[in-house]
């Protein structure tokens, strides 16, 4: 039985189950009196209507509730160590992808900055003018510096998420 099956079994509407009159009135199975003092065979006591339907856990056979609870406990507690391992791997993989993407970003910015600087220097030499090419080179250099900061921030954040995974889970 999977976790979703057990949840479905516990969330069926109570009116889909036949509730004996003694269980519905709260009377004991041996024909004793209900908590309010009336007996189970009292004709004035009717089974609860939709407004005061008993909780599902009391409407079901207690052995079924216990069996589902035991199964859930066994399945979920057995899955936690493995699930944490898989979750940790997914978090570590996502962090690695973030660092890899940041590395690609830095590499691409450095390539564009290098090409921009080369073209700007060529134009400086051909036109024998510094402006506006010095500003273009400065902007390209600043773009590389910003990309390096982004790379450092992504790496630090990714490392922190992976290291702190156990306390976050």
């Amino acid at each position: 039985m999977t976790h979703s099956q057990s949840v479905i079994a516990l969330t069926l509407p109570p009116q889909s189950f036949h509730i004996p009159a003694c269980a519905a009135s709260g009377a004991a199975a041996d024909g004793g009196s209900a908590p309010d003092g009336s007996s189970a065979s009292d004709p004035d006591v009717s089974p609860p209507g939709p407004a005061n339907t008993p909780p599902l856990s009391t409407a079901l056979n207690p052995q079924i509730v216990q069996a589902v609870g035991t199964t859930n406990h066994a399945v979920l507690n057995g899955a936690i160590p493995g699930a944490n391992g898989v979750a940790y791997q997914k978090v570590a993989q996502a962090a690695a992808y973030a660092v890899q993407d940041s590395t690609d970003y830095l590499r691409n910015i450095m390539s564009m900055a290098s090409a921009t600087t080369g073209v700007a220097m060529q134009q400086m030499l051909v036109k024998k003018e510094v402006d506006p090419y010095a500003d273009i080179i400065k902007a390209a250099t600043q773009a590389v510096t910003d990309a390096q900061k982004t790379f450092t921030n992504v790496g630090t954040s990714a490392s922190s998420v992976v290291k702190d995974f156990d306390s976050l889970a």
Side-chain angles (χ1 to χ4, degrees):
M1 177 181 291
T2 66
H3 176 66
S4 62
Q5 288 172 329
S6 64
V7 171
I8 292 170
L10 290 177
T11 57
L12 290 174
Q15 53 270 35
S16 66
F17 298 100
H18 172 68
I19 303 169
C22 64
S25 66
D30 62 359
S33 62
D36 62 358
S38 62
S39 72
S41 61
D42 189 349
D44 294 335
V45 176
S46 61
N52 59 355
T53 303
L56 186 58
S57 60
T58 59
L60 292 174
N61 182 332
Q63 290 174 328
I64 293 173
V65 174
Q66 182 183 10
V68 170
T70 301
T71 302
N72 283 345
H73 179 73
V75 169
L76 295 177
N77 282 348
I80 288 174
N84 278 348
V86 171
Y88 178 82
Q89 289 174 347
K90 297 293 183 182
V91 167
Q93 185 177 28
Y97 284 150
V99 171
Q100 184 177 4
D101 289 346
S102 181
T103 302
D104 290 342
Y105 173 73
L106 176 61
R107 182 182 312 111
N108 291 337
I109 293 294
M110 290 176 73
S111 294
M112 289 186 288
S114 177
T116 300
T117 302
V119 170
M121 291 181 84
Q122 178 189 20
Q123 291 298 316
M124 283 174 138
L125 294 172
V126 168
K127 296 187 176 183
K128 297 184 180 15
E129 296 176 1
V130 175
D131 283 333
Y133 307 110
D135 292 335
I136 293 171
I137 292 171
K138 184 177 179 182
T141 304
Q142 185 61 45
V144 170
T145 302
D146 292 344
Q148 289 170 333
K149 288 178 185 175
T150 300
F151 175 77
T152 301
N153 290 339
V154 168
T156 302
S157 296
S159 175
S160 176
V161 167
V162 173
K163 285 179 185 175
D164 295 341
F165 175 75
D166 287 333
S167 65
L168 295 174

